[in-house]
């Protein structure tokens, strides 16, 4: 039921995740796809990850002018009583929800007292609700579903703010507070998910004679299934074990994510010899010298020193451009062994999580965790998923083998001696790309200052979807000075949604990757408008230069904004099916991957590009080279994603040790085998710190629909602005607007007029 409560607990942190095969973009939505309160509590409880951190002394600011009006079931004078009598909205900002979170006022010491108070209130409220619905013949949608949403809102709102801060301003004090509060949240979630009176009420509504619309029926169906997956049918020792498993999995998910963050932060290399930085682009010299400098006045990109780290804005360009093979090898080995040794070792954590998932699935009557996971998705079975993966492998592996042979020959003809090593691939692939297409990624960067990219992306969305996006900086509190805030207005100029944008990498406190999360969901009952968190980890401004994005970062921004659009442009009035809520996991990537296609459209490129010094747009010939390069190494890129997908399914169907599984899958899905010491699953947040377990295949599943959906615009002609606006309106009303209130297959049919065609994906990458 109320996704409200489920959203409190589902944290899909896939540092990658939503990263279309690159393990980079991601959907960290507390409300998962199985969205009703009981559903979310079940399927993703095992991947509960909490994010949070404190901020600094409150500063004056203007409040967001659209206040939240939670319709609480108790008068203000009756709240915050009993054991938590000293905790009030006046002294604890986590108990104030008239506006968006007061990030600068929230401190670690507020977390546990607030959670105790809110959990106690919810417990009391649910107890009263259960008494009121004992006679199921009198249960109605308002008395059950709407009441549950009101009850759960305060806890969801507060825990969501804490969880968000834990991801963007992580520190030891907040971590400790989250670890203390998390069991309270897990316990109340289990309590609600396993409420027999609530379950009986849901079934009564599901089979009753009341007139309900489609989204309401979907919510009830998900609620009943979610309750069963949440253990409502378990009794005695089985129920006790089940609840202990959920608690343990929540703790392990948090531990896994912390280990990845800490191990990434723990590694650095300081280079003092300029010759060792040969080939490294100026942008990275500035970034690494700034990281190494003791103060701003001592930064010298040419003389150094230079600090190398494993966060993406440093690691990725270094591996592509550094001519120092020894340093590349050192960086590569450090990257593939993150969180696999010492104080931040996830080796055993992975096996514990797998074991608990399997045991939980068995208690619920499933053979494997993969079977449980697929039961809530579009795919009909594990076999159907593996069939898709295998069929794509048949097309992509021969192409990947040819690509590797060609790359090896290219490297040899350009001075490389011997076989290519894994730490050589990015370097030589970039050199080959430069020769084949006559441009480098660094050559593009000056054309993509963040502000220009944002302006062009907003302009595109205005034309396609009939919205206006306006800066609203200063109208609400933010957690860092670089965070932006925007409002979205409809065709009539009415405010309909807002979003935060946190664009830059901060390795010392911010988790890696990129994601969209929900700050507030749309709800008629709570009178709330959607508010999204859009978080990236792109290159920050350096010196007097603005943030200059590489092309991958531009794609990532479009990807995450696609998620945000589905969250913010929803037409569904019921929280539990609005936006991303209740959308099957293997369909949730459709809007995000759809948006990526627009960066390869010439009209869009003219909007989003503008040299930071001259204002000139990207030259047409350079743009065409970029389009041509899209298919470069396409077989290798596809195979890499299939490797991740197959590994995910094998890890959740096999009982073999995870390293054995990894070696077996790698033998089938890689051209160049991983090193013996490769431990990349120890940092695979999608699977063990997020919500993609036995669901990573969703990227490819959804990409089939996303590419086909974009095909509707291509067929109309990308230069036909009137037709594009008409199709964009239909896209908004269906794929963006219908949310989890309609099955994704039906949503796609309403937009495209037919079933998706898989061949479109293969054609896009030249693999058909």
């Amino acid at each position: 039921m109320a996704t409200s409560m489920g959203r409190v607990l589902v944290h899909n942190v896939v540092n990658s995740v939503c990263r279309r095969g690159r393990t980079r973009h991601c959907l960290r939505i507390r409300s998962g796809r199985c969205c009703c309160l009981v559903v979310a509590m079940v399927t993703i409880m095992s991947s509960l990850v909490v994010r949070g951190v404190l901020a600094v002394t409150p500063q004056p600011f203007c409040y967001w002018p659209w206040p939240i009006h939670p319709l609480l079931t108790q008068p203000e004078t009756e709240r915050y009583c009993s054991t938590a009598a000293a905790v009030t909205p006046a002294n604890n900002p986590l108990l104030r929800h008239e506006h968006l979170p007061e990030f600068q006022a929230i401190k670690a010491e507020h977390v546990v007292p607030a959670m105790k108070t809110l959990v106690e209130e919810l417990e009391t409220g649910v107890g009263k609700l259960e008494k009121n619905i004992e006679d199921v013949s009198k249960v109605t949608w308002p008395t059950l579903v709407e009441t549950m949403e009101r009850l759960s809102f305060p806890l969801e709102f507060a825990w969501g703010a804490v969880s968000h801060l834990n991801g963007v301003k992580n520190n030891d004090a907040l971590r400790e507070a989250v670890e203390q509060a998390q069991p309270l949240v897990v316990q109340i979630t289990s309590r609600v998910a396993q409420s027999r009176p609530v379950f009986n009420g849901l079934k009564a509504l599901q089979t009753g004679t009341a007139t309900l619309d489609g989204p309401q029926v979907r919510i009830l169906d998900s609620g009943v299934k979610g309750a069963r997956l949440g253990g409502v049918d378990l009794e005695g020792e089985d129920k006790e074990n089940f609840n202990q498993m959920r608690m343990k999995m929540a703790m392990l998910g948090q531990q896994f994510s912390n280990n990845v963050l800490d191990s990434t932060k723990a590694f650095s290399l300081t280079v003092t010899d300029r010759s060792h930085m040969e080939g490294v682009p100026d942008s990275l010299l500035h970034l690494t010298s700034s990281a190494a400098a003791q103060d701003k006045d001592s930064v010298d990109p040419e003389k150094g020193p230079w600090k190398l780290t494993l966060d993406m804005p440093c690691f990725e360009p270094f591996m592509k451009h550094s001519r120092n093979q020894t340093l590349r090898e050192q960086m590569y080995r450090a990257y593939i062994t993150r969180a696999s040794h010492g104080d931040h070792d996830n080796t055993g954590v992975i096996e514990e999580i797998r074991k608990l998932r399997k045991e939980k699935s068995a208690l619920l009557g499933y053979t494997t965790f993969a079977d449980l996971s697929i039961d809530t998705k579009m795919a009909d079975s594990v076999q159907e998923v593996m069939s898709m993966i295998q069929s794509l492998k048949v097309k992509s592996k021969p192409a990947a083998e040819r690509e590797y042979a060609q790359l090896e020959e290219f490297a040899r003809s350009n001075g490389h001696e011997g076989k290519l090593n894994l730490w050589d691939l990015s370097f030589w692939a970039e050199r080959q790309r430069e020769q084949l297409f006559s441009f480098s990624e660094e050559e593009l960067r000056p054309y993509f200052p963040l502000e220009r990219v944002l302006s062009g992306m907003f302009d595109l969305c205005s034309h396609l979807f009939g919205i206006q996006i306006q800066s609203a900086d200063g109208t609400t509190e933010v957690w860092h000075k670089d965070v932006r805030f925007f409002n979205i207005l409809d065709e009539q100029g009415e405010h309909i949604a807002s979003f935060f944008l946190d664009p830059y990498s901060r390795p010392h406190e911010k988790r890696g990757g990129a994601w969209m999360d929900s700050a507030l969901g749309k709800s008629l009952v709570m009178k709330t408008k959607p508010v999204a968190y859009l978080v990236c980890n792109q290159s920050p401004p350096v010196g007097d230069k603005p943030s200059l994005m590489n092309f991958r970062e531009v794609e990532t921004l479009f990807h995450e904004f696609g998620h945000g659009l589905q969250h913010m442009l929803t037409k569904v009035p019921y929280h539990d099916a609005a936006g991303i809520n209740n959308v099957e996991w293997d369909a949730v990537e459709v809007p995000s991957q759809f948006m990526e296609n627009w960066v390869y459209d010439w009209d869009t490129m003219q909007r989003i590009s503008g040299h930071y010094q001259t204002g000139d747009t990207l030259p047409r010939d350079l743009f065409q080279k970029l389009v041509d390069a899209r298919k470069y190494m396409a077989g290798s890129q596809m195979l890499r994603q299939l490797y991740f997908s197959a590994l995910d399914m094998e890890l959740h169907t096999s009982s073999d040790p995870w390293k054995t599984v990894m070696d077996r899958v790698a033998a089938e899905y890689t051209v160049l085998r991983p090193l013996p010491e490769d431990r990349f699953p120890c940092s695979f947040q999608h699977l063990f710190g997020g919500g993609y377990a036995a669901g990573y295949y969703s990227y490819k599943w959804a990409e089939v629909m996303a590419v086909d959906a974009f095909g509707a615009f291509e067929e109309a002609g990308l230069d036909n602005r009137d037709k594009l606006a008409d199709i964009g309106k239909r896209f908004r009303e269906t794929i963006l607007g219908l949310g989890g209130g309609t099955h994704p297959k039906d949503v796609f049919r309403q937009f495209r007029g037919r079933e998706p065609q898989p061949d479109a994906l293969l054609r896009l990458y030249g693999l058909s």
Side-chain angles (χ1 to χ4, degrees):
M1 245 191 57
T3 306
S4 333
M5 193 56 208
R7 284 187 25 240
V8 172
L9 302 175
V10 179
H11 300 277
N12 302 318
V13 187
V14 198
N15 277 332
S16 74
V17 191
C18 239
R19 290 125 176 36
R20 187 187 92 201
R22 339 178 224 250
T23 349
R24 281 189 321 150
H25 354 291
C26 125
L27 188 59
R28 279 188 201 189
I29 22 185
R30 283 187 303 279
S31 47
R33 298 49 195 167
C34 2
C35 283
C36 123
L37 168 68
V38 276
V39 184
M41 276 192 272
V42 199
T43 47
I44 321 191
M45 192 62 243
S46 59
S47 58
L48 174 67
V49 177
V50 221
R51 307 185 286 275
V53 165
L54 10 167
V56 293
T57 307
Q59 300 295 324
F61 72 102
C62 301
Y63 274 118
W64 191 54
W66 293 278
I68 300 164
H69 299 290
L71 307 181
L72 300 169
T73 55
Q74 301 158 282
E76 189 68 27
T77 54
E78 296 179 15
R79 302 182 67 224
Y80 317 115
C81 54
S82 68
T83 58
V87 185
T88 69
N91 61 30
N92 194 314
L94 289 170
L95 300 183
R96 299 194 288 266
H97 35 69
E98 294 79 13
H99 300 276
L100 292 174
E102 298 173 35
F103 293 112
Q104 305 226 1
I106 299 171
K107 301 190 182 302
E109 57 263 31
H110 295 136
V111 175
V112 174
M115 293 310 121
K116 286 182 177 178
T117 297
L118 295 172
V119 166
E120 182 179 331
E121 287 184 1
L122 182 56
E123 174 70 40
T124 300
V126 170
K128 292 180 179 179
L129 171 64
E130 289 175 328
K131 291 180 180 178
N132 293 338
I133 61 174
E134 286 179 350
D135 184 354
V136 295
S137 66
K138 296 181 180 179
V139 171
T140 64
W141 180 270
T143 60
L144 177 54
V145 180
E146 293 181 4
T147 299
M148 195 65 239
E149 184 177 345
R150 293 188 186 101
L151 288 170
S152 60
F153 179 87
L155 177 58
E156 174 197 355
F157 185 78
W159 189 242
V162 171
S163 300
H164 171 69
L165 285 172
N166 199 35
V168 295
K169 288 191 72 68
N170 190 280
N171 65 27
D172 292 339
L174 193 54
R175 272 193 196 183
E176 183 178 350
V178 165
E179 288 171 2
Q180 292 179 36
Q182 188 180 48
L184 299 172
V185 181
V186 176
Q187 287 168 1
I188 189 62
T189 314
S190 296
R191 157 81 173 88
V192 178
Q194 294 167 1
S195 168
R196 177 59 63 171
V198 170
F199 179 60
N200 291 338
L202 287 172
K203 289 196 298 180
L205 284 176
Q206 186 186 39
T207 59
T209 58
T211 301
L212 301 174
D213 61 25
Q216 289 175 308
V217 171
R218 281 261 296 173
I219 289 169
L220 292 175
D221 291 344
S222 297
V224 170
K225 174 177 279 190
R228 291 196 167 107
L229 296 180
V232 72
D233 292 325
L234 299 177
E235 301 289 346
E237 186 177 347
D238 284 347
K239 175 179 274 189
E240 183 178 345
N241 290 338
F242 183 84
N243 289 338
Q244 289 176 354
M245 289 176 196
R246 294 169 77 178
M247 183 73 72
K248 181 65 173 175
M249 285 190 287
M251 300 299 108
L252 289 170
Q254 177 69 28
Q255 182 183 347
F256 185 95
S257 294
N258 287 341
N259 284 341
V260 174
L261 178 63
D262 291 343
S263 64
T264 302
K265 290 195 301 183
F267 177 88
S268 66
L269 283 175
T270 299
V271 179
T272 56
D273 188 334
R274 179 65 177 85
S275 66
H276 293 171
M277 297 294 284
E278 183 183 358
V280 172
D282 289 345
S283 59
L284 187 56
L285 290 175
H286 279 83
L287 181 68
T288 53
S289 61
S290 296
Q294 298 298 316
D295 57 74
K296 291 183 179 180
D297 295 333
S298 63
V299 175
D300 191 330
E302 285 303 317
K303 295 182 179 180
W306 304 270
K307 183 179 180 180
L308 304 177
T309 65
L310 298 180
D311 58 293
M312 275 298 129
C314 175
F315 177 77
E316 191 172 68
F318 184 83
M319 297 302 293
K320 286 183 176 182
H321 298 287
S322 171
R323 293 189 173 276
N324 189 314
Q325 189 182 38
T326 301
L327 277 180
R328 289 204 311 268
E329 178 180 359
Q330 195 171 353
M331 291 284 284
Y332 180 82
R333 290 181 184 274
Y335 191 81
I336 62 170
T337 55
R338 285 182 302 158
S340 66
H341 51 80
D343 295 334
H344 314 304
D345 191 355
N346 278 333
T347 304
V349 176
I350 291 176
E351 293 295 36
E352 285 189 72
I353 291 175
R354 290 178 67 212
K355 175 176 176 289
L356 290 169
R357 285 173 176 170
K358 183 175 182 179
E359 291 175 353
K360 185 187 81 166
S361 302
L363 280 176
L364 294 173
Y366 294 89
T367 305
T368 68
F369 178 77
D371 292 306
L372 184 157
S373 174
I374 296 300
D375 196 30
T376 63
K377 296 179 171 62
M378 282 183 70
D380 292 329
S381 66
V382 173
Q383 290 71 28
E384 184 181 12
V385 171
M386 289 307 301
S387 176
M388 179 201 74
I389 294 172
Q390 288 282 353
S391 65
L392 291 175
K393 187 199 75 171
V394 168
K395 296 285 188 179
S396 59
K397 189 171 184 181
E401 290 170 339
R402 290 193 298 272
E403 291 163 357
Y404 175 74
Q406 293 165 358
L407 183 64
E408 192 168 47
E409 176 58 33
F410 171 81
R412 188 179 299 113
S413 65
N414 283 274
H416 181 80
E417 297 180 358
K419 290 279 187 180
L420 284 179
N421 294 302
L422 288 158
W423 50 87
D424 298 321
L425 297 182
S426 292
F427 175 80
W428 284 110
E430 188 62 19
R431 304 290 78 73
Q432 187 182 47
R433 184 205 301 268
E434 290 170 357
Q435 185 178 94
L436 290 173
F437 305 104
S438 303
F439 77 91
S440 69
E441 285 195 352
E442 287 301 309
E443 187 180 347
L444 302 177
R445 193 186 287 269
Y447 288 96
F448 297 119
L450 173 61
E451 288 303 316
R452 179 61 177 254
V453 175
L454 285 176
S455 175
M457 184 174 70
F458 295 165
D459 187 38
L460 171 69
C461 292
S462 176
H463 179 68
L464 291 179
F465 310 128
I467 58 176
Q468 302 172 49
I469 302 173
Q470 298 179 348
S471 173
D473 294 325
T475 60
T476 191
E477 283 196 26
V478 295
W479 53 92
H480 189 274
K481 63 181 179 60
D482 292 333
V483 175
R484 303 286 309 280
F485 189 69
F486 298 88
N487 289 328
I488 296 184
L489 313 181
D490 65 13
E491 296 90 333
Q492 288 74 44
E494 294 293 323
H495 173 262
I496 55 174
S498 299
F499 64 94
F500 295 91
L501 174 65
D502 187 350
Y504 307 133
S505 172
R506 297 188 299 276
H508 63 288
E509 65 178 10
K510 185 177 178 183
R511 298 194 190 280
W515 65 90
M516 190 286 290
D517 203 347
S518 169
L520 272 181
K522 183 180 179 68
S523 170
L524 181 62
V525 172
M526 301 308 300
K527 295 181 170 57
T528 54
K529 300 176 181 181
V531 180
Y533 299 122
L534 298 178
V535 183
C536 297
N537 268 283
Q538 67 192 51
S539 307
V542 177
D544 58 354
K545 290 184 178 180
S547 173
L548 300 177
M549 304 170 70
N550 64 41
F551 189 66
R552 293 273 296 276
E553 290 170 343
V554 175
E555 283 185 297
T556 296
L557 179 62
F558 269 69
H559 180 108
E560 298 310 330
F561 200 65
H563 284 307
L565 288 171
Q566 186 174 36
H567 175 65
M568 295 183 287
L569 300 188
T570 184
K571 298 292 187 181
V572 180
Y574 315 113
H575 179 274
D576 297 341
I580 53 177
N581 291 345
N582 209 36
V583 177
E584 280 73 1
W585 195 254
D586 38 11
V588 81
E589 296 294 339
V590 173
S592 55
Q593 297 189 109
F594 163 83
M595 283 297 296
E596 290 184 44
N597 289 285
W598 288 102
V599 300
Y600 294 97
D601 165 51
W602 172 236
D603 182 69
T604 302
M605 180 56 66
Q606 293 177 88
R607 301 172 194 246
I608 66 174
S609 66
H611 196 284
Y612 79 102
Q613 292 176 318
T614 66
D616 294 339
T617 59
L618 190 73
R620 183 66 183 260
D621 62 332
L622 192 52
F623 168 75
Q624 190 55 52
K625 293 172 184 177
L626 187 63
V627 173
D628 294 341
R630 189 179 191 184
K631 296 178 182 179
Y632 174 67
M633 302 294 280
S636 300
Q637 294 176 32
M638 174 83 76
L639 189 64
R640 180 174 181 265
Q641 288 310 298
L642 298 176
Y643 169 44
F644 293 160
S645 300
L647 176 62
D648 174 29
M649 297 306 291
E650 281 285 313
L651 285 171
H652 292 105
T653 54
S654 172
S655 297
D656 292 338
W658 69 260
K659 188 62 169 66
T660 301
V661 174
M662 175 184 166
D663 292 342
R664 182 170 66 240
V665 175
E668 183 178 357
Y669 284 86
T670 62
V671 175
L672 193 59
R673 301 290 181 271
L675 297 177
E677 66 266 36
D678 193 317
R679 298 291 186 275
F680 101 87
C682 289
S683 59
F684 202 172
Q685 294 248 48
H686 285 76
L687 305 193
F688 302 108
Y692 283 76
Y696 193 86
Y697 76 92
S698 300
Y699 285 106
K700 285 302 169 194
W701 188 280
E703 192 175 9
V704 169
M705 292 188 285
V707 170
D708 199 349
F710 186 72
F713 293 83
E714 291 180 308
E715 291 162 12
L718 295 179
D719 56 351
N720 190 328
R721 292 181 60 83
D722 290 339
K723 284 190 177 180
L724 291 187
D726 290 340
I727 300 171
K729 180 179 180 181
R730 190 167 78 244
F731 188 88
R732 175 183 172 181
E733 291 174 347
T734 54
I735 291 177
L736 298 180
L738 295 178
T742 306
H743 194 281
K745 290 181 180 178
D746 297 326
V747 174
F748 190 87
R749 285 193 206 100
Q750 288 186 42
F751 172 68
R752 204 68 166 98
R754 56 167 173 74
E755 301 287 336
Q757 296 178 350
D759 287 349
L761 178 63
L762 295 173
R763 286 196 302 272
L764 175 67
Y765 293 110
L767 298 174
S768 57

